[in-house]
Amino acid sequence: MRAAFLGALREAAAKDDRIVLVAGDLGFSVVEDFASAYPDRFFSIGINEQGAMGLCAGLASQGLKVYYYSIANFATLRCLEQIRNDISYHGADVTIVGVGAGLVYGSAGYTHWAVEDLGAMMLMPRMGVLTPFDQVSAVDATGVTLSRKGPHYLRLGKGGEPDLTQLRQSELHATLWEGRDATSGLVLTHGALAATVVNAARDVQFAGTVIAITEPRRVAELGSELQRFPQLTVIEEVVHLGGLGNFVERELLRHDQRPQYTWRGIENILSHVASGSHEQLQSVHGIDLASIKSLLRDLDSRAHQRSGE
Amino acid sequence: MKSEALPEGEASDRIATAVDLARRIRVFALTQTSRVNSSHIGACLSVADILAAIYSRPELREELQSGSTDREVVILSKGHAAAALYGALSESGVLDPATAARFADFGSHLLGHASHHVPGVEFSTGALGHGLPIATGVALAKMLRSHTGIVTCILGDGECNEGSVWEAAAIASHHGLNNLRVFVDVNRQQGLGATNTILNLEPLEDKWQAFGWSTMRIDAHDHAALILALAESQYAAAPTAIIADSVKGKGVAFMENRLDWHYKSPNPKELELALKGLAST
């Protein structure tokens, strides 16, 4: 996703000289193309997230279209007040690009696991939050930030995400799987985890539908769509508060008729603060391939039971 | 904005104009903070002369009104001195006095900390340490886009406790932003006491120099020195820090150097006494 974003940005920068990229001393082996193509519009600003985020606000105020690139936790939590006061409040045309969403940094450890960044950005007024799931959707999401003016958070994986077939899409979602009984149940997910969910769906031949949400803030716009399904499940690689599930729940509570709802994600990030690969850490939290397959089988059998009533 | 050595007559005219504006800023800040019972009068009074030196220049007024990308950009990073800033904007003709008179009223844009919804205010501030990074970004953008106009950022001395100030200082000198200058209003008081007892950062000029800045140290209430500082920093080879020694509560004898006037609001009797004192200067 990172390379896709940077490639799209580089292409756009050829036609729009307002675009600048500010990198927080990160992006080794990925930012060099942009930096060498546009050396006067690339700033390797150093390890100084608060100073850098204020600087981005200042740059944007003078008509520049700013992209700040760093690891997800550093780009968001370290400078949250600057994002709130200097970027969000002023409606600054700044896109914060957070890399390594979820547990993908694996044995790098707790400081690098980005599981609250989504919630933090969802809390910021006016912040457009974009959660692509593969290279194609990352390019689309980059396009969204290019076509709109104002603050955005572009949440990316670390790399190697396989491209997923999109059966249908809109600005805020992409349908990635439809089973033999598509309306029997809906699974919502986002980010790089979408590939695991789709693989699980294929492996167990999940009867229902899998949709990746690419603009979680706007999930309320899918209100009527969500109501079609008797069963709704959210699977995500973040903590519950402030995540997609939280926003979906809020939407569901507006209606008297509610689907059978399940949330699967990181219940307690401190339950396993030990080393492990991305997949191993996912398995601790029940969001690896095996756990999701098991969940989908269970969802199918519950849906089947209900339809037999 | 061109600046050459001023002929003596012109220099004294500019000083007189700035001194008068400073007095009117003080009157505005005292009257308004008293009216709405709000804090920070001590901080407003210490920075009044710096603001007057900046906003008494007719060139700046014209630039603000034109909204040109080549205008000087002034950022009050010590945003709690908002009443003084609004006073400077109102008394120099940038902000309509009727609007200014509604400081901190329900529904007014003139919030207790500098608000960008107010004509002439470039950025909302109030959380310390934010203004200099923003100013650094503005200066960097001006360099990149070949926009002229200096960027002036006003900090408090307590504010220099904030790490983000030094992140910006390092970035500014590394990138050669000589179109950036800072005033540090050194009134030697912060939230819970004297700055040198809470977190001593003196000598301040040494620290700014260590970060690659050009520095000067002046009396924050000496208008001849302020005019000279503004002129010299216009053409510096590096970003400039003007360390300005001030008196918290300056201009009102019973408020000077008193920590409680960071928080208290003058009651009607105190206001009358303060205004009387200013009228006789």
Side-chain angles (χ1 to χ4, degrees):
Chain A
M1 282 193 244
R2 297 185 291 174
F5 154 68
L6 285 159
L9 192 70
R10 192 201 151 154
E11 218 180 280
K15 297 169 240 148
D16 186 350
D17 69 351
R18 298 169 308 147
I19 292 173
V20 299
L21 177 62
V22 180
D25 205 36
L26 286 161
F28 183 72
S29 85
V30 289
V31 297
E32 288 79 356
D33 263 357
F34 187 100
S36 55
Y38 303 105
D40 57 342
R41 289 197 265 149
F42 173 75
F43 298 100
S44 181
I45 206 71
I47 311 167
N48 41 33
E49 294 76 11
Q50 293 182 21
M53 195 57 68
L55 178 131
C56 288
L59 290 172
S61 77
Q62 300 300 294
L64 294 172
K65 190 167 179 67
V66 186
Y67 288 79
Y68 178 73
Y69 179 99
S70 185
I71 283 176
N73 281 347
F74 311 151
T76 56
L77 306 182
R78 189 60 172 262
C79 48
L80 191 62
E81 195 184 67
Q82 281 75 12
I83 293 171
R84 179 186 185 272
N85 293 355
D86 308 338
I87 305 287
S88 210
Y89 183 38
H90 290 80
D93 195 7
V94 175
T95 294
I96 300 155
V97 184
V99 158
L103 302 167
V104 71
Y105 272 106
S107 59
Y110 183 74
T111 53
H112 287 54
W113 299 336
V115 298
E116 300 98 358
D117 63 308
L118 179 66
M121 291 301 96
M122 296 284 260
L123 275 174
M124 295 295 104
R126 291 185 195 154
M127 178 70 68
V129 178
L130 302 163
T131 53
F133 47 87
D134 64 5
Q135 291 179 72
V136 172
S137 59
V139 171
D140 288 342
T142 306
V144 169
T145 68
L146 289 165
S147 65
R148 293 187 207 159
K149 210 167 169 211
H152 286 88
Y153 180 50
L154 179 56
R155 191 170 192 263
L156 304 179
K158 194 161 154 276
E161 301 88 7
D163 278 337
L164 303 179
T165 307
Q166 298 185 32
L167 301 171
R168 257 187 318 285
Q169 77 253 98
S170 76
E171 256 192 350
L172 50 136
H173 75 311
T175 305
L176 302 177
W177 170 267
E178 274 177 337
R180 65 188 176 280
D181 189 3
T183 56
S184 61
L186 174 63
V187 169
L188 298 178
T189 186
H190 59 88
L193 192 65
T196 310
V197 177
V198 168
N199 286 341
R202 185 180 307 116
D203 286 356
V204 307
Q205 286 296 299
F206 177 59
T209 299
V210 175
I211 287 177
I213 300 293
T214 50
E215 242 193 290
R217 232 215 168 90
R218 294 171 62 188
V219 78
E221 290 173 38
L222 294 174
S224 54
E225 179 93 0
L226 302 181
Q227 290 304 113
R228 286 203 293 129
F229 298 84
Q231 181 190 76
L232 177 59
T233 304
V234 176
I235 307 176
E236 54 184 341
E237 197 166 307
V238 288
V239 299
H240 181 247
L241 261 178
L244 174 66
N246 216 178
F247 278 73
V248 166
E249 289 149 21
R250 196 169 163 230
E251 193 48 35
L252 295 180
L253 285 170
R254 290 190 211 280
H255 305 278
D256 290 333
Q257 279 265 63
R258 287 165 209 158
Q260 186 179 71
Y261 175 78
T262 305
W263 180 77
R264 174 66 64 89
I266 298 170
E267 290 282 357
N268 175 12
I269 187 59
L270 293 176
S271 67
H272 177 89
V273 195
S275 206
S277 67
H278 185 197
E279 276 172 77
Q280 286 166 336
L281 295 172
Q282 284 174 322
S283 75
V284 167
H285 296 286
I287 47 175
D288 64 319
L289 182 65
S291 306
I292 295 175
K293 278 164 68 167
S294 177
L295 172 62
L296 295 182
R297 272 193 218 103
D298 188 48
L299 290 171
D300 265 348
S301 88
R302 279 194 264 155
H304 182 70
Q305 274 171 10
R306 203 173 34 253
S307 68
E309 282 159 12
Chain B
M1 237 188 322
K2 295 206 90 175
S3 179
E4 294 126 355
L6 296 172
E8 211 185 275
E10 205 186 315
S12 58
D13 277 349
R14 287 188 81 149
I15 289 172
T17 307
V19 166
D20 179 60
L21 179 57
R23 188 188 53 79
R24 287 184 286 124
I25 289 171
R26 288 186 164 95
V27 167
F28 179 93
L30 283 158
T31 309
Q32 292 298 324
T33 55
S34 176
R35 184 177 68 78
V36 298
N37 205 32
S38 74
S39 296
H40 306 128
I41 186 60
C44 289
L45 295 172
S46 69
V47 81
D49 295 291
I50 292 170
L51 289 171
I54 291 169
Y55 286 97
S56 60
R57 295 168 301 153
E59 319 89 85
L60 176 60
R61 257 202 315 284
E62 279 159 29
E63 286 175 3
L64 277 174
Q65 274 153 355
S66 78
S68 158
T69 46
D70 290 327
R71 71 180 183 276
E72 174 172 350
V73 173
V74 181
I75 296 172
L76 181 70
S77 190
K78 52 170 278 180
H80 53 285
L85 178 61
Y86 302 149
L89 292 169
S90 169
E91 296 294 328
S92 66
V94 177
L95 174 64
D96 146 55
T99 307
R102 295 192 57 228
F103 172 70
D105 279 349
F106 178 61
S108 163
H109 284 312
L110 275 73
L111 294 161
H113 288 79
S115 165
H116 70 285
H117 303 293
V118 176
V121 179
E122 301 276 5
F123 284 90
S124 285
T125 50
L128 296 171
H130 284 242
L132 188 58
I134 293 170
T136 303
V138 174
L140 186 62
K142 277 179 177 284
M143 287 265 187
L144 190 62
R145 307 290 274 180
S146 304
H147 293 158
T148 57
I150 201 164
V151 185
T152 304
C153 187
I154 305 162
L155 305 174
D157 52 350
E159 181 171 15
C160 292
N161 294 173
E162 287 281 359
S164 54
V165 167
W166 301 101
E167 287 181 1
I171 291 170
S173 73
H174 179 84
H175 289 271
L177 302 181
N178 64 340
N179 58 345
L180 174 63
R181 65 184 166 199
V182 145
F183 279 92
V184 185
D185 176 5
V186 184
N187 60 28
R188 293 167 296 131
Q189 305 271 3
Q190 58 187 94
L192 285 179
T195 51
N196 67 354
T197 62
I198 289 172
L199 194 68
N200 184 34
L201 295 179
E202 291 287 5
L204 273 167
E205 62 270 43
D206 286 15
K207 292 190 170 57
W208 286 92
Q209 280 168 28
F211 274 74
W213 286 54
S214 176
T215 65
M216 36 180 114
R217 190 143 193 164
I218 62 169
D219 175 349
H221 308 298
D222 175 346
H223 280 272
L226 284 163
I227 287 175
L228 200 61
L230 285 169
E232 281 182 9
S233 55
Q234 194 83 32
Y235 296 104
T240 307
I242 302 154
I243 317 294
D245 289 302
S246 67
V247 174
K248 193 143 189 163
K250 177 73 175 178
V252 179
F254 63 87
M255 289 183 180
E256 290 186 1
N257 286 316
R258 297 281 309 270
L259 178 61
D260 48 356
W261 288 105
H262 180 83
Y263 300 101
K264 280 176 9 170
S265 183
N267 62 36
K269 219 171 155 214
E270 286 160 338
L271 174 65
E272 201 192 317
L273 197 59
L275 294 178
K276 224 164 122 179
L278 282 171
S280 63
T281 52

